[in-house]
Structure formats: structure tokens, C-alpha cells
Amino acid sequence: MPYYASPFVAAPQFKHRELANLLVDKISASDSYLNYLTHVHRYIYDQPVLQYGFQVLPRIKDPYVKAYTHWFLKQYYGMFGKDVAAQIGTTIAAMEHLLGLGFNIRSALVNATQNVNTIAEIGLDYTIRGANQAITASPLLQRAWEKCALRPGFEEYLSLLDIHRFKTFNDLVRSSMYLFQKVEIANRKIAFFGGFLKGYEEGTKNPFVADLMKRGWTKFDAAVSYGTEVMKKTQFVYGPIGVSKYMQTAVGRPAMVFTTFPVKQLELFVDWARNNPEKLLAYIFI
């Protein structure tokens, strides 16, 4: 079976090109299909939001919701070929990132201040312990990190800036944001490890963990979910999952290139103000 025969893979527009390249290196049809099952399917089913999408899509009755869900799942896997307008929009957005954030040490330092969100959410003690684990994670924490579905983080966002057939330019954009991305990964690990430790140690005293354990989850898996929730809430979700449909269009991508962060930060403030005003006050006074 050719590697592009799957409905989930549309070469050469497949977003995760490293997987496509891996598959196309195999001349044997059986080897190619085995690689597809091993790598592509594993990636799909490591994404809980996509699992849910595939499960509920056949049961959705509202035609608008059904069409949007179908569009979202296809968009996530890069199954829409990029037309000229989309390529121009992506190029402009990539240039804006290259000029605004690329090779900019200050942007990486500013990015590190996002840990204030984590401090306000789970407290200074767990944030510090999370930072310690981010340097040298224990076997328990490393196992938890491997089960975290949102590990790619900013890498998923950078994939939106890839320009088809311009690998050299794509590599330049990614290289220019190397330091920024390293800080982003550190931020996410600090939030996840701190959240995991808090959930694991509090156990049933933590409402989020207690609710999952009542449903039959182990304390470990519930703590992984809580750590992921803390990371998602304080460090945000980027990439196809984390931006609106308009922001992925040829016009929206360059026009709203630096609006993702302030929008998500404002959403966090609103959530704190409604549900945990003490956390919003903690953020203000840190």
C-alpha cells in the first residue's frame, strides 16, 4: 500500500513531514504500511482531543458542528493543500516571527516570566519543585512526562509557519527561535511537573484528581491529567488545536500573528476572576 493511501495522510502536504519522509524511504509496500501503522497511527491516538473528535464525529447531528469538526480534524493533519494565498499568508507570518522573535534574547527572557502564571496557579513551592525536576527529572516524573499529550507545545505552533517546499527557510525560522523554544519547553515542564507533584501528593484532597479517581483512574494517571491541565492553563495550547479557524486562514495568520498570547492570557485572567479571584490577586502582587 502506498504511504499516501491513508485518509489521514495527504502527501506532500502532510504537516508532519518527518513522518512522511520516514515512510517514503521504504521501497517495500509492506514496510511502508508497517511504518504508517507504527508512527502515524501512534501519533494520532496519542492526542486525546483527536481521539474524542473521531469518536463523536459520526454521532454529531448539527450539520454546522459536524462540518467544523470534520474541517478541524483534516486541518490538524495538514490534509488541505496550501493555495497561493495561504502560502503568501504563511510567508508573511513566518517573516514577522523571524524579525520579531528570531535571534532575540530579550523575547526568550520575557517568555520566562510566564512562570508567574504557574506560581499563581499552584503556588511557589510546587513551582520551585517543578523547576528542579525540569533540570533532572526523577524516573516517576519522567514516566509522567512521557504520558503528557501536550508535550510538543510550541513545536506545533511553529509547524503552522512552515512554507511548502522551502525547507531551508523553515529551518532558518526554527533555528532563529531556538532559545525562545528552549525557554518554552522549560516553562511547560515546570508547570507540568509542579502540577503533577501537587496532584499526586494531594491525592483525593485535590478536587480534580479526586473526581478522576472516582471514575476509576489511578492516582498516577489522574496526577498526569492534572499536571497537563495546569500546563495547558498557564502555558497555553498553541498550534492547530489552540487557535481559532480565522487565525489559520491566509488573512488571519499574518494579521493576528502576535495576538495568540494576549488572548489566552486574558482568558486566564477571566477564568481566575470568575472562579479563583485569589489567584488573580496573587498574580497581581507577585
Side-chain angles (χ1 to χ4, degrees), residues 183-198:
V183 172
E184 180 68 26
I185 293 173
N187 289 352
R188 303 180 82 79
K189 283 189 173 183
I190 291 170
F192 175 79
F193 288 147
F196 174 85
L197 289 171
K198 181 178 174 66

Side-chain angles (χ1 to χ4, degrees), residues 5 18 27 47 96 123 153 203 217 219 232 251 254 260 262-263 282-283:
E18 65 277 10
I27 297 177
Q47 303 294 326
E96 289 185 273
W217 290 46
K219 185 169 74 168
K232 180 179 68 175
V251 176
T260 304
V263 168
Y283 179 92

Side-chain angles (χ1 to χ4, degrees), residues 7 12 33 41 63 86 95 98 117 119 168 171 185 201 206 209 219 235 251-252 257-258 264:
Y33 186 58
H41 264 190
M95 289 296 295
L98 185 62
N117 288 346
I119 296 174
T168 302
D171 290 344
I185 293 173
E201 293 177 357
N206 184 299
V209 173
K219 185 169 74 168
Q235 305 304 315
V251 176
V257 68
F258 292 127
K264 292 180 180 294

Side-chain angles (χ1 to χ4, degrees), residues 167-232:
K167 183 178 184 302
T168 302
F169 181 76
N170 297 337
D171 290 344
L172 174 63
V173 173
R174 290 168 182 265
S175 299
S176 73
M177 301 185 68
Y178 175 82
L179 185 58
F180 185 93
Q181 188 174 5
K182 285 295 182 182
V183 172
E184 180 68 26
I185 293 173
N187 289 352
R188 303 180 82 79
K189 283 189 173 183
I190 291 170
F192 175 79
F193 288 147
F196 174 85
L197 289 171
K198 181 178 174 66
Y200 194 77
E201 293 177 357
E202 292 181 349
T204 54
K205 294 180 181 179
N206 184 299
F208 187 97
V209 173
D211 180 61
L212 293 180
M213 291 182 68
K214 286 180 182 178
R215 304 181 190 183
W217 290 46
T218 65
K219 185 169 74 168
F220 176 82
D221 287 336
V224 168
S225 184
Y226 180 69
T228 303
E229 184 68 20
V230 170
M231 183 177 72
K232 180 179 68 175

Side-chain angles (χ1 to χ4, degrees), residues 137-149:
S138 67
L140 178 69
L141 271 293
Q142 188 59 43
R143 187 158 58 94
W145 178 246
E146 290 171 357
K147 297 193 70 173
C148 176

Side-chain angles (χ1 to χ4, degrees), residues 4-271:
Y4 52 83
S6 163
F8 299 121
V9 183
Q13 290 85 13
F14 183 45
K15 181 167 68 69
H16 301 284
R17 292 188 183 83
E18 65 277 10
L19 294 182
N21 291 335
L22 175 64
L23 297 173
V24 79
D25 284 341
K26 297 289 184 181
I27 297 177
S28 166
S30 59
D31 285 348
S32 294
Y33 186 58
L34 179 62
N35 268 3
Y36 159 72
L37 292 177
T38 302
H39 297 282
V40 180
H41 264 190
R42 185 171 63 188
Y43 185 86
I44 291 172
Y45 292 108
D46 275 348
Q47 303 294 326
V49 66
L50 297 175
Q51 291 181 43
Y52 186 73
F54 286 123
Q55 291 168 8
V56 302
L57 184 59
R59 303 197 300 270
I60 297 175
K61 303 300 182 184
D62 187 301
Y64 176 80
V65 177
K66 191 179 187 71
Y68 181 82
T69 304
H70 187 251
W71 173 90
F72 176 86
L73 294 172
K74 291 182 68 177
Q75 179 73 15
Y76 188 88
Y77 283 100
M79 290 178 65
F80 292 117
K82 289 188 175 181
D83 56 22
V84 175
Q87 286 289 342
I88 293 175
T90 301
T91 303
I92 295 173
M95 289 296 295
E96 289 185 273
H97 278 79
L98 185 62
L99 295 175
L101 299 179
F103 304 111
N104 187 341
I105 296 178
R106 184 175 60 182
S107 66
L109 295 176
V110 171
N111 190 25
T113 63
Q114 200 169 337
N115 284 302
V116 176
N117 288 346
T118 306
I119 296 174
E121 180 65 23
I122 61 174
L124 180 60
D125 177 58
Y126 281 111
T127 302
I128 292 175
R129 293 174 62 186
N132 290 336
Q133 290 294 330
I135 299 172
T136 53
S138 67
L140 178 69
L141 271 293
Q142 188 59 43
R143 187 158 58 94
W145 178 246
E146 290 171 357
K147 297 193 70 173
C148 176
L150 299 178
R151 279 182 300 161
F154 199 67
E155 179 65 27
E156 289 289 335
Y157 180 75
L158 289 177
S159 68
L160 293 176
L161 303 177
D162 281 351
I163 304 172
H164 184 46
R165 300 186 186 279
F166 283 90
K167 183 178 184 302
T168 302
F169 181 76
N170 297 337
D171 290 344
L172 174 63
V173 173
R174 290 168 182 265
S175 299
S176 73
M177 301 185 68
Y178 175 82
L179 185 58
F180 185 93
Q181 188 174 5
K182 285 295 182 182
V183 172
E184 180 68 26
I185 293 173
N187 289 352
R188 303 180 82 79
K189 283 189 173 183
I190 291 170
F192 175 79
F193 288 147
F196 174 85
L197 289 171
K198 181 178 174 66
Y200 194 77
E201 293 177 357
E202 292 181 349
T204 54
K205 294 180 181 179
N206 184 299
F208 187 97
V209 173
D211 180 61
L212 293 180
M213 291 182 68
K214 286 180 182 178
R215 304 181 190 183
W217 290 46
T218 65
K219 185 169 74 168
F220 176 82
D221 287 336
V224 168
S225 184
Y226 180 69
T228 303
E229 184 68 20
V230 170
M231 183 177 72
K232 180 179 68 175
K233 188 174 182 179
T234 63
Q235 305 304 315
F236 313 138
V237 177
Y238 298 101
I241 292 178
V243 297
S244 68
K245 187 173 181 178
Y246 171 72
M247 292 175 70
Q248 297 186 53
T249 64
V251 176
R253 189 168 296 169
M256 305 183 71
V257 68
F258 292 127
T259 61
T260 304
F261 171 77
V263 168
K264 292 180 180 294
Q265 187 69 45
L266 179 60
E267 290 174 344
L268 177 60
F269 287 159
V270 171
D271 177 71

